[in-house]
Amino acid sequence: MSTTTARPSAWRRLSDRLEANADGSGPLRGSLTWRRIAMIWLASNFVVTTMLTGTIFVPGVGYGEALMLILVGSIIGGAVLVTIGAIGTRTGLATMSLTRGAFGTRGSLLPVAANLLILLGWSWVQAMLAGITVDFVVAEFIGYSNPALFAVICQLIVVGLAIFGHEGISRVEPWLAVVMIGIIGYVLTVAFTTFPPSAYFAIPADATIGLTNLTVLDIVIATAISWTVLSADFNRLGRATRSTVAGSGLGYVVSTFLSMTLGATAIAYVVLAGGEVVEFDPGVIVGEFGVALAAVIFVSVMATNTLVVYGMTTSAINALPRLKLRFLPTALVIGAITVIGSTFLGLLGLFIDFLFVIGAIFIPVFAIMIVDYYIVNRRVYTADILEHRGGRYWFTGGVNIPMIVVWVLGFAFSLLLTYQFPSPIGATILAFVFTFVIAIAAAAVTGRLKRDGTEPEHQHLADAAPEKAVEA
């Protein structure tokens, strides 16, 4: 008697296909040159959110001061970014997987959870920007305006792309960077042929806005910190550590400087033209530079947001391997949350505070990670970091309690400097130094700095545990 095997449902077939293509959390052996790494960072940071951040600065501070602070802040923040990224190149692990070394196998779930919340916030911000851009164009042509509705529609498209088309988006994004460079050239040409450069540098700072040079510096550094959560993810694709550091540093600093300079120049153009200055509003810039800019903003935001939603999904799955979460239902749940949040347009008014919170959370995290990898563990993580239980990074019940305490202290210190006791050099630099020092002190007190006279041998984790390696 023959038996007939029931064909899996369409849902099951789709879920299985997505499961097979989802990114894993194991070590990856990179092969990219410094030029490819530089292009990845150029493409990733030539995005509208970075450009619109530049619109926050003028006329709160002078145009020339804004450009200088963008460059200095990008270099300072970029130094942290490439230092964390180098750990990814040396080990093959993504940034959040590396937190196991400093915080413990279970303790790492805290920064992972914080990262998911931050990515969720970015997803909402970008959905709102796409919705506002579409609303501006539609209102111009037919007079209908409903930015919340358009934000929801845009985010529904993003969720669909995250499930079905994220690989295509990742291939297209570098070309979007080329388009963004063209837009930068167009906007700067229009801006500086309409008004001479001297006019931009002569715009007086408006003290009533309440923006200072230190605030601008902290915002620019916080932007770099927000990208550092992905630094090891990108840089583990690199072939060699030094060249990857050079490529990522160059790509990040150049793209950030150009993107924020574009935003600062565009809003300065609005000031000189006598228009209404509204910070972090794509409609203001689109109104001056046309629908073509609106199309680029829309496509750029949609592409970046697709990768954000996909990244949240894979991060949640990889953080909780014992739950055996499947990609499709996890993506749908996370997608539903992003769609709901995209309607809260008032949150855009809190964007500066959002960046400061990112800095307050992750500056201490990265200071601790740098201390743990480069000083405590002497630039070596063993294959134990890949285990879900036991081993060198289990600490106390899976949690490195002293470093969790250091993180909380660093977070509180950063918030105090930001909102209560402003320092002469801003909050981010001091918060990093404070956390760095007490992390070393905590490691010394707990005996983790003791040496036995032997030098640990470095081995890429794809070689140390080839059965857990993933393909690039």
Side-chain angles (χ1 to χ4, degrees), residues 408-420:
V408 172
L409 292 175
F411 173 69
F413 185 73
S414 181
L415 289 181
L416 285 174
L417 291 179
T418 300
Y419 294 107
Q420 295 295 325

Side-chain angles (χ1 to χ4, degrees), residues 163-250:
I163 294 174
F164 297 105
H166 71 275
E167 291 182 353
I169 292 294
S170 64
R171 295 190 186 99
V172 169
E173 194 172 34
W175 294 104
L176 292 178
V178 175
V179 175
M180 285 295 291
I181 291 174
I183 289 295
I184 289 173
Y186 166 72
V187 171
L188 293 180
T189 299
V190 171
F192 290 123
T193 54
T194 304
F195 302 102
S198 59
Y200 292 85
F201 288 96
I203 296 175
D206 187 351
T208 62
I209 294 177
L211 202 63
T212 67
N213 288 352
L214 293 178
T215 305
V216 172
L217 183 66
D218 278 342
I219 290 173
V220 178
I221 296 175
T223 300
I225 297 302
S226 72
W227 279 103
T228 303
V229 298
L230 295 173
S231 61
D233 301 52
F234 290 165
N235 284 14
R236 68 176 179 158
L237 301 173
R239 179 187 303 165
T241 304
R242 289 185 180 181
S243 60
T244 301
V245 165
S248 56
L250 178 66

Side-chain angles (χ1 to χ4, degrees), residues 3 38 46 88 99 142 145 159 176 179 274 330 362 373 382 414 419 450:
T3 58
F46 269 141
T99 59
I142 66 174
S145 177
V159 174
L176 292 178
V179 175
T330 305
F362 281 105
Y373 183 75
T382 70
S414 181
Y419 294 107
K450 292 181 179 178

